[in-house]
Amino acid sequence: MNSSKAASFESLLQRTGLMARGVQASATHDTTASTERFAVFKDRDGLRLHARNSERTYDFSVTYQVGAPAHLAPEARECLRARFPDDSTLLTHMKQLLAADFSNLKDEVVYSPDYLKAHEKAFLSMGKLDPRRRALENWAEPENQYTSLLNWSLIDYSTTGEAERIENEDALRPEADLDPIEEEVHLTKGLLALPPLSDVIPTLRVATADAEHYSKVDEKGRFAISGKIEPGDYVSNYPIPMSTTSGVNLEQFSTLDASNKEIRVLQFFGKTCKPLLKINPVDDEEKEVLYHSRSAYQLLGAALAVPSDNRVCPRLVALYCAVDDQDPKTLKNIHTGHLPKHFLRDL
């Protein structure tokens, strides 16, 4: 690496603050900032991140917000109670995710032999020409543009009501190109055809937000993700499927070019997601788990770390539980807080 590239790399690492040490939470309940819907905690010691290969230390002030149980759906309340018996446990967990360098998050989920057999049987029961199977395989196929083309087309549709057709590179599909909305239906039906999980599992997604969608802090120190999402709120990724990972290592994000971005670590708890397993040729590395686009989530709690050094990105952790009986057409987008403008055809 030449000197200019090395300097640029060091600058990036200083900006993103991507190495971390020290994750013991120590916080006090802020009664003045708490509301009926959620409680606010302020960190006494803040968060200290260490840039890779650098002795520089970055300080963050941290605020935690936790949804009030009375305002959580039954499955979300049960998830919160089962995994985090008290506030201290929950705050320490969020601080560990805030401080993560993305190579030490959690052990991956291990699926039982019975589930693996049921998963394979359900997938193979779809014939090779079944559009549900082809949509699943196309989604999971490495080194193609299908996933990004489908997502971008659906995002464009949600904004304008129009969607460009997807160029078809699948030899088993006779069409010259694919209708993205019809393809999304096939993908969702394919996911629904896979066996349900028996237990709630935790999965992760690392994302970034541009300045226009930064988490906003009010005069009392309370914050809202993207300025609109608070604990207890229901959100969706509609009309896009939500891809998460059950894997232990997200180290590829350690060199994320996040200049002028808010770095977000989103953790999902649910059993409506479907692991792609043998469908994904590189699943040993990715451990991809997919929620279909109609999935809804409730925000259990969040933590916002605001840096004292403006060269370092703010960091956010959000814990979500997948919930039933919510119409994604009425919910805020999980990344932007905006409501969808156009709706996909029903299944």
Side-chain angles (χ1 to χ4, degrees):
M1 184 179 293
N2 62 40
S3 58
S4 63
K5 286 186 177 180
S8 175
F9 185 61
E10 178 67 16
S11 174
L12 167 63
L13 292 169
Q14 289 180 2
R15 172 67 190 165
T16 54
L18 284 173
M19 293 298 287
R21 297 172 191 166
V23 294
Q24 188 63 40
S26 177
T28 56
H29 187 197
D30 188 341
T31 55
T32 61
S34 296
T35 73
E36 181 185 358
R37 293 180 57 247
F38 59 85
V40 176
F41 297 82
K42 298 288 187 179
D43 199 327
R44 290 195 189 105
D45 303 323
L47 186 71
R48 309 185 80 181
L49 298 183
H50 293 246
R52 186 188 298 271
N53 300 325
S54 171
E55 295 304 316
R56 297 201 58 161
T57 300
Y58 302 101
D59 296 325
F60 293 70
S61 61
V62 184
T63 302
Y64 307 90
Q65 295 179 171
V66 182
H71 292 272
L72 297 179
E75 57 265 52
R77 188 165 56 249
E78 181 62 30
C79 173
L80 190 63
R81 184 186 304 117
R83 292 185 174 272
F84 309 107
D86 53 52
D87 290 333
S88 177
T89 305
L90 177 59
L91 301 187
T92 297
H93 175 74
M94 285 197 281
K95 192 165 187 178
Q96 286 173 334
L97 292 180
L98 273 177
D101 66 359
F102 308 127
S103 65
N104 60 351
L105 292 174
K106 284 296 177 183
D107 291 338
E108 66 191 45
V109 173
V110 177
Y111 302 100
S112 71
D114 288 344
Y115 183 80
L116 295 177
K117 290 178 182 177
H119 188 282
E120 183 177 23
K121 181 179 179 181
F123 176 67
L124 294 178
S125 69
M126 295 180 253
K128 290 186 176 181
L129 298 180
D130 189 319
R132 298 174 301 169
R133 174 168 172 167
R134 299 310 300 158
L136 287 169
E137 290 176 329
N138 281 334
W139 176 277
E141 181 67 28
E143 299 179 1
N144 72 16
Q145 293 185 306
Y146 171 90
T147 302
S148 58
L149 287 173
L150 177 60
N151 278 347
W152 279 114
S153 187
L154 293 171
I155 290 172
D156 182 63
Y157 180 81
S158 71
T159 304
T160 67
E162 299 178 358
E164 293 185 10
R165 295 181 72 83
I166 300 171
E167 183 178 351
N168 181 19
E169 298 180 356
D170 184 348
L172 295 180
R173 301 285 279 275
E175 305 95 326
D177 49 19
L178 302 173
D179 178 339
I181 301 175
E182 190 68 36
E183 193 70 354
E184 191 279 336
V185 170
H186 295 321
L187 179 62
T188 297
K189 287 184 175 180
L191 290 170
L192 292 173
L194 298 175
L197 296 165
S198 58
D199 298 311
V200 169
I201 66 169
T203 58
L204 290 161
R205 178 183 178 93
V206 177
T208 60
D210 294 325
E212 65 177 309
H213 297 306
Y214 272 19
S215 299
K216 305 297 191 299
V217 181
D218 68 13
E219 67 282 356
K220 290 187 176 182
R222 298 169 299 196
F223 68 90
I225 300 173
S226 299
K228 300 177 177 67
I229 303 170
E230 297 175 339
D233 284 355
Y234 294 96
V235 298
S236 173
N237 203 37
Y238 184 89
I240 311 301
M242 175 64 77
S243 175
T244 64
T245 179
S246 65
V248 65
N249 193 339
L250 294 175
E251 196 168 3
Q252 66 267 33
F253 290 102
S254 291
T255 55
L256 185 66
D257 185 359
S259 178
N260 300 316
K261 303 275 190 179
E262 180 177 274
I263 297 177
R264 296 177 176 178
V265 180
L266 311 182
Q267 186 166 44
F268 297 86
F269 300 94
K271 56 182 179 181
T272 55
C273 55
K274 302 295 176 67
L276 297 186
L277 299 175
K278 300 299 183 182
I279 303 170
N280 189 331
V282 293
D283 195 61
D284 284 345
E285 298 174 11
E286 294 189 0
K287 304 296 180 188
E288 185 176 12
V289 172
L290 200 58
Y291 285 93
H292 64 71
S293 68
R294 275 83 167 165
S295 299
Y297 319 92
Q298 189 172 29
L299 181 60
L300 302 177
L304 178 65
V306 179
S308 57
D309 189 325
N310 61 13
R311 293 174 298 173
V312 185
C313 302
R315 295 167 73 99
L316 180 130
V317 160
L319 308 184
Y320 289 99
C321 182
V323 296
D324 300 323
D325 303 322
Q326 295 292 323
D327 183 355
K329 300 173 186 177
T330 67
L331 305 182
K332 300 172 184 177
N333 179 269
I334 194 171
H335 302 295
T336 68
H338 294 160
L339 292 171
K341 294 184 178 181
H342 301 279
F343 309 123
L344 302 178
R345 64 190 65 147
D346 292 330
L347 296 177

